[in-house]
Amino acid sequence: MAVARMDGSVEVFHCSDRFFQEKIIPGREQCGIEGLSWVGERLFSAGLNGGITEYDLTNQKAKYTIDAYGGPIWAIAGNQQGTHLAVGCEDGTVKLFEVNEDSIQFERNLDRQKSRIVSLSWHPSGSKIAAGMMDMIQVFNIETGHSLHRMLADRGVGTSRSKECVVWSVVYLSDGTIITGDSVGMVKLWDDQTGTLIKSHNVTKCDVLALSVSQNEDSLVAGTSEGIVVQFQFVSMVLEKDDKEWVRTRTFRNHTHDIRAVAEITTAVVSGGMDAQLVVRPLLDKIEERSAASALRKIHFPHRRLVSCARKSGLMLFQYPGHLELWRLGESEGKGIPGSSLFVKRNPEKLLHLKVKGEDHIRCSAVSPCGEWIVYSTASTLRLYRLHCDNNNISITKISKLPKVLSSASQLCFSSDSSHLFSASAQSSVHLVSISQSGCKFVGTLKPKSDSHQAIHLLAASEDGKWVASANSDHEVHIYNLQTRKAHCTVPVYSSAVTAMGIHPATNCVFMMHADQQMFEYSIEQKQYTDWSRTVQRKGLHRLWVERDTPCLNVMFSPQNPSHVILHDMYMLCIIDQSLVRQTRIQKAFSLIFLILVDLCIYIYIYIYIYICLLFQLPAPIKQKKFAT
């Protein structure tokens, strides 16, 4: 599922993997997106800058952009056959583009209208297209390019005649029914054969901004400017009758502001809008049993780390779309008891505000552990800076001569001693660069043994400088030996994506968290899962942990206690104590030994008692009695 943001960025979520944010394509300045459309497995967008963009989902960047030459584009839609793409423009034209193997090509314009085209929807056959505009809906014949029907939208009772009715959304069904949502707050059903209104539903006093129909066309959802999602279902009014009607059935209130987009997937309704959160509302009548899929999800933040820390110098780097901020952490006096507040001796201090040059937004960034190096990358460029701190005087120097391989990166990471920079490039490879006061030098490229071409979204370096691990969108985790500069091993591929990982500083084991909340620990030296990891998978995790719907964003290790693994997401900090499993094993061993000793004592007592009875001719014990062990 593709999601567009107002800053021009596009996010791709994996619906069957806990809605993990699998890919993020950064936006550009003044390149807002008004519409997205899938054509097969290819993704296109259009916006008010008048361009149509196709995305390279493998390398997570814009593939190309062409001008439609119709002014700002308000709507974009592809037919189900995957052969054509239609855009609605400011100049009143619907432009058709032929979808070729590597690009799209302009074919022709449909009949020009007097007002802008706000919404579009293809008939499933691909022979007709419905266009929503000011005060009307037009139905076009694709073969001739002429208008078949012109349907006027009612401005509503009590509405000023000078106020236009905007048809914000339109849906074309296979039976010829056209459904529209407008600025009067109505959801209307039209007949494309006669061009007449069939039925109207008064949904809200405000605007109906978005419509979406299910794949089998028996359910429709509408998003309004009041933050309400309304569901309609195509059901029979009388039992065992074939006559069906569209009936309003449910109302969902999960947003605080305008809902700009809705989509009905197999078992849920997904909506998003001006409150910047993505809401996944499950349809309980389509879910057979209670599970993680039946829970309400609210996706607020990116499933990526936007903050990096320089541990040795107490600095933190914050990543924004168009700039970076470097802060020095504050200090407190002394230590207090748990629950008390500490007096702040020094407040956090903002040291640097680094604005990005150009229109591209930042894709990834990092600060070195020593705090002397800052690096960031956009879709087209990579910049490396050296930071000079002299008491309170802060200065920054740009490294002008970079190796040619550092053109762009999908992920960046420094070594623990800040002597090397790891840059994730195309086809799941990692470039290794040495950095020093004298400059930046290319060392080599680490290539995986697999044939994956997916971009890397996670990098982790070991504390001793011997290993580096990478994770890509194919759920592969590759581990490289930095001394030989070759691939060392590949972790067995798991069905869920890796959301966070880290290399333990003492054991050099890779700790991985997945989108389905499963955790694994893999020994780099032994090239296998650790005993602790196998025990956790054999016994299983707690139900409340597995049903959590927010992925872990970071894995850290406690310097005071090596057995403590620290995890965090947007809601919580969690400490995994790996020594508890070992303690349980020891306790079980002692319990087993204790039971064996008890059994031996009981048997010895029985034999001694029988011997004494035989020796002194005392009554023997009852033979039928069984002694418990």
Side-chain angles (χ1 to χ4, degrees):
M1 180 179 63
V3 176
R5 300 281 181 177
M6 291 292 289
D7 63 352
S9 62
V10 176
E11 304 163 5
V12 179
F13 291 82
H14 200 302
C15 299
S16 61
D17 193 13
R18 304 286 186 95
F19 288 89
F20 176 62
Q21 195 179 59
E22 195 173 66
K23 304 174 189 292
I24 299 178
I25 302 172
R28 305 183 67 191
E29 290 295 325
Q30 299 178 352
C31 290
I33 296 174
E34 288 295 322
L36 286 173
S37 179
W38 288 98
V39 179
E41 295 183 354
R42 298 166 65 179
L43 181 62
F44 296 87
S45 73
L48 300 184
N49 61 347
I52 304 172
T53 302
E54 182 178 1
Y55 295 97
D56 182 357
L57 297 181
T58 301
N59 297 313
Q60 301 181 23
K61 63 181 182 180
K63 191 175 182 179
Y64 61 84
T65 300
I66 65 171
D67 199 329
Y69 296 103
I73 300 175
W74 293 90
I76 182 172
N79 61 359
Q80 291 187 5
Q81 292 73 24
T83 59
H84 287 83
L85 196 68
V87 294
C89 302
E90 177 76 18
D91 63 356
T93 59
V94 176
K95 299 179 181 293
L96 293 183
F97 289 82
E98 183 182 2
V99 179
N100 300 322
E101 186 176 353
D102 297 324
S103 63
I104 60 174
Q105 184 177 358
F106 174 74
E107 189 171 283
R108 59 195 172 95
N109 292 330
L110 305 184
D111 286 347
R112 188 169 183 172
Q113 306 301 311
K114 293 183 179 180
S115 63
R116 67 170 70 107
I117 309 297
V118 179
S119 54
L120 289 173
S121 180
W122 287 81
H123 188 271
S125 65
S127 60
K128 292 178 286 187
I129 192 169
M133 56 196 76
M134 305 298 173
D135 292 329
M136 73 177 69
I137 304 101
Q138 289 277 5
V139 180
F140 297 96
N141 185 306
I142 297 299
E143 185 176 353
T144 63
H146 299 310
S147 176
L148 296 175
H149 294 288
R150 178 188 179 193
M151 297 168 284
L152 298 179
D154 188 7
R155 297 188 179 184
V157 180
T159 306
S160 174
R161 291 185 177 181
S162 61
K163 185 178 180 180
E164 295 178 320
C165 176
V166 184
V167 182
W168 289 117
S169 185
V170 59
V171 172
Y172 211 151
L173 304 183
S174 57
D175 63 356
T177 303
I178 299 174
I179 306 177
T180 60
D182 54 38
S183 59
V184 186
M186 305 289 288
V187 172
K188 299 177 181 178
L189 288 80
W190 308 80
D191 186 355
D192 72 337
Q193 295 295 326
T194 60
T196 57
L197 179 65
I198 301 174
K199 193 174 182 179
S200 297
H201 295 273
N202 191 355
V203 175
T204 176
K205 295 181 180 179
C206 303
D207 298 36
V208 178
L209 299 175
L211 294 174
S212 177
V213 69
S214 61
Q215 189 172 3
N216 55 3
E217 298 184 353
D218 63 349
S219 177
L220 175 84
V221 288
T224 71
S225 58
E226 291 180 318
I228 299 174
V229 176
V230 180
Q231 184 186 17
F232 295 85
Q233 289 180 287
F234 195 50
V235 296
S236 299
M237 302 303 295
V238 182
L239 292 176
E240 299 181 357
K241 294 289 184 179
D242 294 333
D243 296 335
K244 293 184 177 181
E245 293 184 11
W246 285 98
V247 180
R248 178 174 175 173
T249 54
R250 294 186 182 95
T251 300
F252 306 131
R253 301 174 183 270
N254 301 117
H255 292 272
T256 58
H257 293 74
D258 300 11
I259 297 175
R260 296 289 304 275
V262 291
E264 184 171 347
I265 58 177
T266 308
T267 59
V269 174
V270 186
S271 56
M274 301 303 293
D275 57 4
Q277 67 181 13
L278 201 66
V279 175
V280 183
R281 180 81 187 205
L283 299 174
L284 298 181
D285 58 335
K286 296 184 179 181
I287 299 176
E288 296 181 356
E289 59 182 10
R290 185 179 182 274
S291 63
S294 62
L296 176 69
R297 298 174 184 271
K298 291 187 177 182
I299 303 172
H300 299 267
F301 296 102
H303 296 169
R304 296 286 190 277
R305 287 185 295 167
L306 300 178
V307 179
S308 56
C309 178
R311 303 188 307 272
K312 299 176 182 178
S313 56
L315 302 179
M316 297 190 74
L317 183 69
F318 295 86
Q319 176 184 323
Y320 295 87
H323 71 277
L324 298 172
E325 290 184 4
L326 185 67
W327 286 73
R328 178 187 286 133
L329 297 177
E331 291 183 2
S332 61
E333 286 188 351
K335 296 182 180 180
I337 61 175
S340 63
S341 299
L342 297 178
F343 178 75
V344 178
K345 181 172 64 175
R346 188 185 69 187
N347 291 322
E349 181 183 2
K350 183 178 178 180
L351 302 179
L352 181 68
H353 183 100
L354 182 61
K355 186 173 175 58
V356 177
K357 293 184 179 180
E359 297 181 348
D360 292 339
H361 288 170
I362 299 175
R363 173 186 284 179
C364 56
S365 61
V367 59
S368 63
C370 65
E372 294 184 3
W373 301 93
I374 295 176
V375 62
Y376 76 85
S377 176
T378 65
S380 58
T381 58
L382 187 144
R383 296 285 185 266
L384 178 63
Y385 297 89
R386 189 180 177 200
L387 191 67
H388 306 274
C389 296
D390 184 13
N391 294 329
N392 292 328
N393 297 324
I394 306 296
S395 62
I396 190 171
T397 303
K398 177 185 174 182
I399 306 301
S400 57
K401 294 183 180 180
L402 295 178
K404 294 182 179 180
V405 295
L406 296 182
S407 58
S408 179
S410 59
Q411 194 61 234
L412 294 165
C413 175
F414 286 94
S415 61
S416 59
D417 59 357
S418 304
S419 63
H420 289 84
L421 170 66
F422 305 102
S423 172
S425 64
Q427 299 184 354
S428 293
S429 59
V430 179
H431 296 308
L432 178 61
V433 179
S434 65
I435 51 178
S436 61
Q437 295 182 1
S438 59
C440 182
K441 182 180 179 182
F442 173 70
V443 176
T445 300
L446 308 174
K447 296 183 179 181
K449 294 181 180 179
S450 67
D451 296 330
S452 175
H453 299 288
Q454 293 292 333
I456 293 172
H457 68 276
L458 288 175
L459 280 177
S462 63
E463 194 73 20
D464 57 7
K466 294 181 180 179
W467 312 99
V468 64
S470 68
N472 59 26
S473 300
D474 279 337
H475 307 174
E476 295 177 347
V477 177
H478 301 286
I479 300 172
Y480 302 97
N481 189 325
L482 297 179
Q483 296 177 343
T484 62
R485 300 172 194 170
K486 293 182 180 180
H488 177 69
C489 62
T490 300
V491 178
V493 178
Y494 185 61
S495 58
S496 182
V498 182
T499 63
M501 70 176 181
I503 301 179
H504 199 287
T507 63
N508 272 345
C509 292
V510 183
F511 195 95
M512 297 161 289
M513 286 299 303
H514 294 265
D516 62 354
Q517 307 302 338
Q518 295 294 328
M519 58 184 71
F520 295 90
E521 188 182 44
Y522 189 83
S523 174
I524 297 178
E525 296 178 354
Q526 298 179 3
K527 298 182 181 181
Q528 63 180 7
Y529 289 115
T530 63
D531 294 338
W532 178 88
S533 181
R534 296 178 188 276
T535 303
V536 169
Q537 291 301 314
R538 184 173 61 254
K539 293 183 175 297
L541 297 170
H542 196 280
R543 178 180 58 84
L544 295 178
W545 174 267
V546 176
E547 290 182 355
R548 292 171 58 255
D549 60 351
T550 54
C552 288
L553 304 179
N554 199 7
V555 174
M556 300 163 287
F557 305 95
S558 173
Q560 287 80 18
N561 193 337
S563 63
H564 283 183
V565 181
I566 305 173
L567 312 174
H568 85 83
D569 62 7
M570 58 178 290
Y571 291 118
M572 63 87 189
L573 282 166
C574 175
I575 298 177
I576 305 294
D577 191 349
Q578 293 181 310
S579 63
L580 291 179
V581 175
R582 302 187 185 97
Q583 290 176 0
T584 303
R585 287 180 178 177
I586 296 173
Q587 292 171 357
K588 287 184 177 180
F590 278 115
S591 299
L592 183 60
I593 294 172
F594 176 76
L595 289 174
I596 293 174
L597 292 176
V598 170
D599 290 344
L600 289 175
C601 291
I602 292 174
Y603 283 118
I604 291 172
Y605 168 77
I606 293 172
Y607 289 130
I608 293 176
Y609 184 77
I610 293 174
Y611 176 77
I612 294 174
C613 291
L614 293 175
L615 183 64
F616 296 99
Q617 296 182 353
L618 296 175
I622 300 174
K623 295 181 180 180
Q624 288 81 6
K625 185 175 181 180
K626 295 181 179 179
F627 292 89
T629 58

